[in-house]
Amino acid sequence: MQIDILTLFPRMLEGFLSESMLGRAQERGLVQIAVHDLRQWGMGKWQITDDRPFGGGAGMLLRPEPLAAAIDDLKRGAGCKTIYLSPDGEPFKQAMAVELSKEPHLILVSGHYEGIDERIRLSRIDMEISIGDYVLTNGTLPAAVLTDAVTRQIPGVLGAEKSLTQDSFHNTLLGFPQYTRPFDFEGMRVPEVLLSGNHKEIEEWRVARALEKTRDRRPDLLSEQESEQ
């Protein structure tokens, strides 16, 4: 899989992409991640990428010419999906990460200022995604979040494949409680069922606790599950 990230702030991603799971996945050739500075396609001597919005208003807008040139240069064939990270995009969820991990090539467009020219959204963007109902300085961090969530779904990336099925939001449930040594910490003991060695009972306990936590903290996830059935 190839992931190209288009941003005005490539240095924000340097350490993030080289560490932990993402670093190992690239070293093993399971994913290729490239970060591109939009200024490479900037206009004129000063590599201009933005301008004032027509109609007035605060802030600046990314111009269509550099974005179009960058996306067209990076796009390779019909199997490429171009995604714009935007607060008004479709909410990013686990199922979406799973589906995107099956794509051969993603181009992630990180906006800045007041966003990007609408004509790019209409002519070059295949999908718009939001990682939450809040505003960040630019779309580079959302691009990093999406890259992490998608990459971990690629077969072979995680050392223990079972951890995928134990993640929060698998089957729309939050994660179950986890314990390690010591058995007794400040009077709080590990539930006996986890020490029983009975895998069926342990699995039932985990499902029950995950359901209980989801019902308490995120009942909306259960409502979504019921509406899909």
Side-chain angles (χ1 to χ4, degrees), residues 3-146:
I3 300 177
D4 287 294
I5 303 175
L6 194 56
T7 174
L8 285 172
F9 305 98
R11 292 179 61 186
M12 290 179 66
L13 297 172
E14 288 177 359
F16 175 78
L17 294 176
S18 64
E19 297 292 336
S20 188
M21 173 202 72
L22 288 172
R24 292 193 299 271
Q26 292 175 84
E27 289 173 1
R28 294 164 61 192
L30 297 173
V31 62
Q32 292 79 45
I33 305 173
V35 182
H36 308 274
D37 189 339
L38 180 59
R39 293 178 185 84
Q40 295 177 35
W41 293 271
M43 302 169 61
K45 176 181 178 181
W46 305 108
Q47 297 180 296
I48 294 172
T49 59
D50 62 301
D51 209 331
R52 297 182 180 86
F54 282 117
M60 305 288 276
L61 204 63
L62 291 181
R63 292 183 60 132
E65 304 99 321
L67 284 168
I71 293 170
D72 292 348
D73 282 351
L74 295 174
K75 196 164 188 176
R76 305 180 192 91
C80 177
K81 186 181 288 291
T82 303
I83 299 172
Y84 173 45
L85 285 307
S86 168
D88 53 1
E90 183 179 353
F92 187 51
K93 296 187 178 181
Q94 184 69 10
M96 193 182 298
V98 173
E99 289 304 309
L100 289 176
S101 71
K102 301 172 185 176
E103 298 286 343
H105 186 195
L106 299 178
I107 298 176
L108 308 183
V109 178
S110 165
H112 187 46
Y113 309 116
E114 296 303 307
I116 67 176
D117 190 287
E118 183 69 16
R119 291 165 291 186
I120 290 297
R121 299 174 85 158
L122 295 173
S123 65
R124 299 296 197 284
I125 302 300
D126 300 309
M127 187 177 190
E128 299 189 12
I129 292 178
S130 167
I131 65 166
D133 296 337
Y134 47 87
V135 179
L136 296 171
T137 305
N138 62 76
T140 307
L141 290 178
V145 168
L146 188 146

